[in-house]
Amino acid sequence: MENKTGRYLKYALGEIVLVVIGILIALQVNTWYEASKKNKLKQVYVQNLINDLTKDTIQLNARLKENEEGFVKHSDSLLAVIKEPTTKAKDVKNMAQISGLIGLRTMNTYNTNTLNILTSTGNIDLFEDFIIQEIMELNRLQAFEIGVSNGNRNSYFSLYSSYKENYVLGEDINQALAEQLWGNVDPVKLAPHYINALLVNNHAINRYLGLTKEVLAKTEELLDILNAQKDKHD
């Protein structure tokens, strides 16, 4: 009787061990599967982020070039004349009539679809902490640039609108009429409006350039990190 009981206990114990081993193997397989699934999902996000950031670098470089080679040079040249000790109010009037006010192209549109999905789903936790910090810092810089640029742009176009209410822009009417209207403009009254608008425009462009270069540098830094991550899994 004792031998049968012993054999039964050994058999039962063996069954329990087999069941436990089976459960552990199943858990290990499931853990491996989940890890593999998360890794594949992470790589999709990595590639999507690379695509978004690459588009951003193309856009930002084009905007920087446009402003540096066009708007800021034009603005600087006008302000250089105004700062000359010999410049008079009548000279400013002539400049305003000939050159008018400068346009402003200081609006960046960042590709944030992937980042928005990552944060809304919580899948940003798929990334290492240092990458999350880099992504969040880039997002902060983008938001700061947009806020500052929007504020400066609104300030400039407020002055632009006020200026246009008082002084005709040459391209809006025919030359003969423009000459007649500008002939009655008081240079001393016009000069402050025109100069203030130029100064705000120049500040808006240069502030935009500085902040956009910071965003571009961080974008390129994050791209290098993500490309290195991608290369490890290729």
Side-chain angles (χ1 to χ4, degrees):
M1 186 68 177
E2 289 181 359
N3 288 337
K4 287 183 179 181
T5 301
R7 284 197 301 271
Y8 175 78
L9 288 174
K10 288 179 181 179
Y11 175 79
L13 183 60
E15 287 291 316
I16 292 171
V17 170
L18 288 175
V19 170
V20 170
I21 291 173
I23 292 173
L24 290 175
I25 291 173
L27 288 173
Q28 185 65 32
V29 169
N30 186 63
T31 299
W32 175 86
Y33 174 75
E34 288 298 322
S36 177
K37 188 167 69 171
K38 287 182 178 180
N39 186 58
K40 288 179 180 178
L41 180 60
K42 177 185 174 183
Q43 294 313 306
V44 171
Y45 282 127
V46 166
Q47 185 59 58
N48 288 343
L49 282 171
I50 289 173
N51 293 340
D52 287 350
L53 296 177
T54 299
K55 292 176 185 176
D56 283 347
T57 60
I58 294 171
Q59 176 204 183
L60 296 180
N61 278 305
R63 287 291 173 84
L64 287 171
K65 183 178 180 180
E66 178 184 25
N67 277 277
E68 288 174 335
E69 296 183 359
F71 293 107
V72 76
K73 281 187 177 181
H74 189 193
S75 178
D76 285 345
S77 65
L78 294 177
L79 288 175
V81 174
I82 288 172
K83 291 175 183 178
E84 286 289 333
T86 57
T87 298
K88 307 298 182 185
K90 65 177 183 178
D91 300 317
V92 176
K93 175 184 171 180
N94 290 334
M95 184 188 303
Q97 183 178 357
I98 295 170
S99 300
L101 286 176
I102 305 168
L104 205 58
R105 298 284 179 83
T106 58
M107 185 180 292
N108 296 329
T109 305
Y110 298 107
N111 292 279
T112 59
N113 287 340
T114 304
L115 174 59
N116 293 338
I117 293 171
L118 281 171
T119 52
S120 65
T121 61
N123 284 332
I124 196 168
D125 291 337
L126 293 169
F127 291 87
E128 295 86 340
D129 286 343
F130 82 96
I131 296 181
I132 295 175
Q133 292 303 315
E134 289 289 318
I135 293 173
M136 292 297 100
E137 177 61 11
L138 174 60
N139 186 242
R140 185 193 70 80
L141 288 174
Q142 290 174 341
F144 185 67
E145 180 278 311
I146 289 173
V148 172
S149 294
N150 283 346
N152 288 333
R153 190 166 51 254
N154 290 338
S155 296
Y156 173 66
F157 282 113
S158 176
L159 289 173
Y160 183 95
S161 297
S162 176
Y163 178 87
K164 194 171 180 180
E165 287 177 4
N166 293 281
Y167 306 104
V168 174
L169 300 183
E171 65 269 17
D172 292 341
I173 56 177
N174 66 72
Q175 187 174 354
L177 181 56
E179 290 291 342
Q180 181 183 0
L181 294 173
W182 276 95
N184 295 322
V185 170
D186 184 345
V188 176
K189 288 184 178 179
L190 173 138
H193 293 280
Y194 186 72
I195 293 171
N196 286 337
L198 284 183
L199 289 170
V200 172
N201 176 280
N202 190 265
H203 171 76
I205 294 173
N206 282 291
R207 192 76 172 109
Y208 166 82
L209 289 173
L211 292 176
T212 298
K213 286 177 181 178
E214 288 184 27
V215 173
L216 179 59
K218 179 57 69 174
T219 301
E220 292 173 339
E221 180 183 337
L222 182 54
L223 263 176
D224 288 340
I225 293 171
L226 293 172
N227 279 311
Q229 289 268 318
K230 181 175 178 290
D231 291 341
K232 284 197 307 184
H233 293 87
D234 285 347

